[in-house]
Amino acid sequence: MSLISASLSRVKPSPTIAISSKAKELAADGHDIIALSAGEPDFDTPENIRDAAIKAIHEGKTRYTAPDGIPELKQAICDKFLRENHLTYTPSQVSVSSGGKQILYNALMATLDAGDEVVIPAPYWVSYPDMVLLAGGTPVIVECPIEAGFKLTADALENAITPKTKWLIFNSPSNPTGAGYSRDELKALTDVLMRHPQVHIMTDDMYEHLSYDGFTFCTPAEVEPGLYDRTLTCNGVSKAYAMTGWRIGYAAGPEPLISAMRKVQSQSTSCPCSVSQWAAVEALNGSQDYIHDSLSIFQKRRDMVVEQLNSCEGITCPTPDGAFYVYPSIAGCLGKTSSGGKIITDDESFATALLEETGVAVVFGAAFGLSPNFRVSYAEADEVLLDACTRIKAFCEKLS
Ligand code: PLP
């Protein structure tokens, strides 16, 4: 009898974490590595948030809390949803977890039975399909090609839905492409869902605050109030407030679902970190200046990286609406050989050769379900990004 469960054997470890770890190991061995593989802001958590955490520690707010969050944070989340998304939720409709990842995981664990299908547009955030598998469901991947702006169309969604579909996982602006859905594009999707009452929507709004060129973020329950009772609106403080290590994510949705998610959490992690919850209260209620300041920095970096990558032979890089990623195509590099003698057969061999021969770590597109591409995270200092782009350009020039 195998010690490792059958359900776990269907799951692969997070490739983004694996590549970032490999880059760290190579750097520790003395190699000159630039890692553009991790999805986290390179800024410190704003001071007012750090101070709130220190204050919480001094005040002894260091014990277990209610399983899915302290009342102060739940209220701050309700206020945020009303203020920024025009959505009315009460604290009993809110769940707080150890990161956005755990919110999504709890929701899938709480709802999926064997045979239940979850529609996932590709390219997708690496964890969606594997979390569905861990929860015993079946991921249904819908490819959204570069020509469609990496976005799900109403027809593609309609074709993917079956009587067994329980969820659509929706992410805008997207990791890994940065593609954002306009209100009209989103309405076309919610119109489809209105015709299929068995389907719920899990919207991952983690990059809500990171959008550029006047792109206006909108979320499904706001666009189609008829879906309010079928929507779990997920968000978190990790990306918006440079708080990836604090591990706080949250969601709001129908009470029976929130209560089922509470049960999962109470029997797994008990509650999110008490100190981080107080920090998150300050993030949501306090000054929002950081968001504004970081956005203009990210936008400049995006513009620079898009321009640089488009000047590389064989690479085409669309301009994303949001997040801090670009997802260029390497179609023009396929079949060529690198100066180190590696044949570029796919995006994985491209990324491997790039790391070995130039020290630049990126994540290959197959990890996100759409090839031949790679993901660059531009949440890095300008000079680091420029150095990385120069190395990528030299790598492409030497392909023969
Ligand atoms: N959703 C998306 C689309 C992400 O990119 C990430 C993190 O990379 C998460 C969720 C998880 O966020 P957290 O760090 O809060 O768990």
Side-chain angles (χ1 to χ4, degrees), residues 141-354:
I141 308 299
V142 183
E143 286 203 3
C144 307
I146 193 165
E147 299 76 29
F150 301 120
K151 290 185 227 180
L152 181 65
T153 61
D155 283 349
L157 174 60
E158 185 75 64
N159 290 337
I161 291 174
T162 75
K164 290 179 178 171
T165 309
K166 202 165 236 181
W167 288 104
L168 161 69
I169 302 187
F170 178 77
N171 175 219
S172 164
S174 138
N175 177 1
T177 65
Y181 289 67
S182 69
R183 184 170 280 266
D184 288 349
E185 286 166 339
L186 185 46
K187 183 74 171 67
L189 299 181
T190 58
D191 285 350
V192 173
L193 296 181
M194 286 302 285
R195 295 196 288 274
H196 297 277
Q198 81 281 18
V199 186
H200 295 69
I201 178 159
M202 195 177 295
T203 176
D204 180 346
D205 299 347
M206 199 56 79
Y207 296 94
E208 163 178 15
H209 291 296
L210 289 154
S211 57
Y212 315 111
D213 301 330
F215 173 82
T216 307
F217 169 84
C218 47
T219 192
E222 180 192 8
V223 169
E224 178 46 82
L227 285 176
Y228 178 84
D229 288 332
R230 286 199 262 146
T231 304
L232 184 69
T233 305
C234 306
N235 210 316
V237 295
S238 299
K239 317 285 175 171
Y241 303 96
M243 290 179 71
T244 47
W246 298 77
R247 311 307 303 130
I248 295 291
Y250 57 85
E255 256 184 55
L257 171 59
I258 294 296
S259 141
M261 288 164 62
R262 184 184 314 126
K263 203 194 279 185
V264 175
Q265 188 147 290
S266 74
Q267 293 293 18
S268 51
T269 54
S270 292
C271 64
C273 165
S274 61
V275 174
S276 298
Q277 290 188 64
W278 286 104
V281 171
E282 174 61 22
L284 296 177
N285 288 348
S287 161
Q288 302 295 302
D289 287 353
Y290 166 82
I291 291 181
H292 179 261
D293 298 346
S294 62
L295 201 59
S296 52
I297 297 174
F298 281 133
Q299 170 138 10
K300 277 197 206 109
R301 291 175 179 175
R302 179 203 66 164
D303 293 344
M304 190 263 277
V305 168
V306 168
E307 191 189 328
Q308 288 288 321
L309 290 178
N310 273 324
S311 72
C312 298
E313 226 173 296
I315 291 183
T316 312
C317 184
T319 304
D321 305 299
F324 38 64
Y325 308 103
V326 291
Y327 199 63
S329 159
I330 57 143
C333 301
L334 294 178
K336 297 187 175 171
T337 305
S338 72
S339 64
K342 292 264 158 51
I343 302 173
I344 310 299
T345 50
D346 53 19
D347 48 36
E348 187 165 2
S349 52
F350 177 91
T352 307
L354 188 70

Side-chain angles (χ1 to χ4, degrees), residues 41-47 50 241-243 246 290:
D42 53 320
F43 307 118
D44 286 335
T45 305
E47 198 171 352
R50 285 182 273 150
Y241 303 96
M243 290 179 71
W246 298 77
Y290 166 82

